[in-house]
Amino acid sequence: MSPRTEARAAEAGSGELRADCANCFGLCCVALPFAASADFAIDKDAGRPCPNLRADFRCGIHSRLRQEGFPGCTVYDCFGAGQKVSQLTFGGRDWRRAPHTARQMFAVFPLVRQLHELLWYLAEALTLPQARPLHDELRETFDEIEHLTRRDARDLADLDVAAHRERVNVLLLGTSELARATIDGRKDRRRADLVGADLRGADLRGADLRGALLIAAVLTGADLRSADLIGADLRDTDLRGADLTGSIFLIQAQLDAARGDATTRLPAALARPAHW
């Protein structure tokens, strides 16, 4: 086990793979497009700064995003890609003072964000003792992806990120199978359409819910221990009283999009959303 890999993986929960907006040039507020909808109050093209972005790269309505019609902003997570691109890839030169960097910076940001998301999942996989047979390959892949994020902007722009995602997905699938193997009666609801479903008190221990549509589903009191939730759409999902401890590949953005309360049990690495 390389000490460097261990250090990088450990930081998934406490540092490098968490957003640090104070060291970012507001990249998610500029590089990404959004359309007027229930998630965003206005239309905005990619590469155009949000009108709420201040001169210091902070959001002028950060404490009122939901009330002002921007709940979509509250559930976005760059996994630390913003500060990586701002401070490492572009050496602390911001797109306002160095406008010639803007186009390339905005193009590279979403690519690094995808790589950082992969690092987050790989780091979590390395914490699962059941996945020990895959740990060597997971560590090697973590190191390779982390190295990619440190390339210069030109090399990053040429990366085939989809190919890397496909390779990592195979590893994460294997990790999930090993982690859930000992749970009897586990359900396969991968990519299932469960929009609005009444799943109150459901036994979903060890369930495969990868990519499942759980929008506005009612999961009050449901048992989701050790369930694989990677890519599950939890927008407006009712998680009050649900048990998510030990769930696999659940991320903060999914919780932020859902509804819960003080009785919702969460994995240790994730925080209870302030709006619950």
Side-chain angles (χ1 to χ4, degrees), residues 158-198:
D158 291 335
L159 282 179
D160 184 353
V161 176
H164 292 290
R165 291 188 71 92
E166 184 174 345
R167 177 188 170 200
V168 170
N169 187 53
V170 172
L171 275 175
L172 298 181
L173 279 167
T175 297
S176 176
E177 289 297 324
L178 288 169
R180 298 180 298 110
T182 60
I183 300 174
D184 294 330
R186 60 188 186 277
K187 298 176 175 62
D188 184 356
R189 308 307 301 269
R190 187 183 306 184
R191 293 188 290 274
D193 185 349
L194 299 169
V195 175
D198 187 348

Side-chain angles (χ1 to χ4, degrees), residues 220-238:
T220 52
D223 191 344
L224 291 150
R225 287 176 292 172
S226 298
D228 185 344
L229 289 162
I230 195 168
D233 193 334
L234 300 182
R235 284 178 291 169
D236 204 32
T237 305
D238 190 345

Side-chain angles (χ1 to χ4, degrees), residues 22 119 126 186 199 209 225 252 260:
L119 288 174
L126 282 165
R186 60 188 186 277
L199 296 167
L209 290 163
R225 287 176 292 172
Q252 189 65 47

Side-chain angles (χ1 to χ4, degrees), residues 29-211:
C29 306
V30 187
L32 307 178
F34 49 75
S37 62
D39 292 321
F40 299 100
I42 59 172
D43 292 317
K44 189 191 82 65
D45 295 330
R48 180 166 66 88
C50 173
N52 297 308
L53 184 66
R54 303 187 317 201
D56 63 357
F57 300 112
R58 301 298 185 95
C59 174
I61 60 168
H62 186 265
S63 63
R64 310 188 311 278
L65 283 167
R66 289 182 177 274
Q67 298 92 315
E68 297 284 346
F70 291 86
C73 296
T74 68
V75 300
Y76 179 77
D77 189 351
C78 77
F79 295 98
Q83 66 260 27
K84 172 73 72 66
V85 172
S86 298
Q87 302 301 329
L88 180 66
T89 312
F90 287 88
R93 295 173 300 158
D94 73 69
W95 49 271
R96 282 181 173 142
R97 290 183 297 174
H100 63 282
T101 67
R103 183 173 181 180
Q104 191 174 44
M105 189 182 297
F106 301 156
V108 162
F109 168 65
L111 301 179
V112 176
R113 190 265 178 201
Q114 290 184 65
L115 295 175
H116 269 227
E117 182 181 15
L118 296 180
L119 288 174
W120 179 278
Y121 289 131
L122 289 166
E124 179 178 344
L126 282 165
T127 70
L128 301 174
Q130 306 97 315
R132 190 166 288 112
L134 293 174
H135 277 191
D136 285 345
E137 191 172 359
L138 287 164
R139 292 186 192 105
E140 179 182 352
T141 305
F142 184 99
D143 272 340
E144 290 177 3
I145 299 294
E146 202 275 337
H147 180 71
L148 291 177
T149 69
R150 295 178 177 274
R151 289 188 175 184
D152 64 29
R154 189 169 300 176
D155 285 345
L156 283 166
D158 291 335
L159 282 179
D160 184 353
V161 176
H164 292 290
R165 291 188 71 92
E166 184 174 345
R167 177 188 170 200
V168 170
N169 187 53
V170 172
L171 275 175
L172 298 181
L173 279 167
T175 297
S176 176
E177 289 297 324
L178 288 169
R180 298 180 298 110
T182 60
I183 300 174
D184 294 330
R186 60 188 186 277
K187 298 176 175 62
D188 184 356
R189 308 307 301 269
R190 187 183 306 184
R191 293 188 290 274
D193 185 349
L194 299 169
V195 175
D198 187 348
L199 296 167
R200 280 175 284 192
D203 183 357
L204 294 168
R205 286 174 295 170
D208 184 349
L209 290 163
R210 295 171 66 93

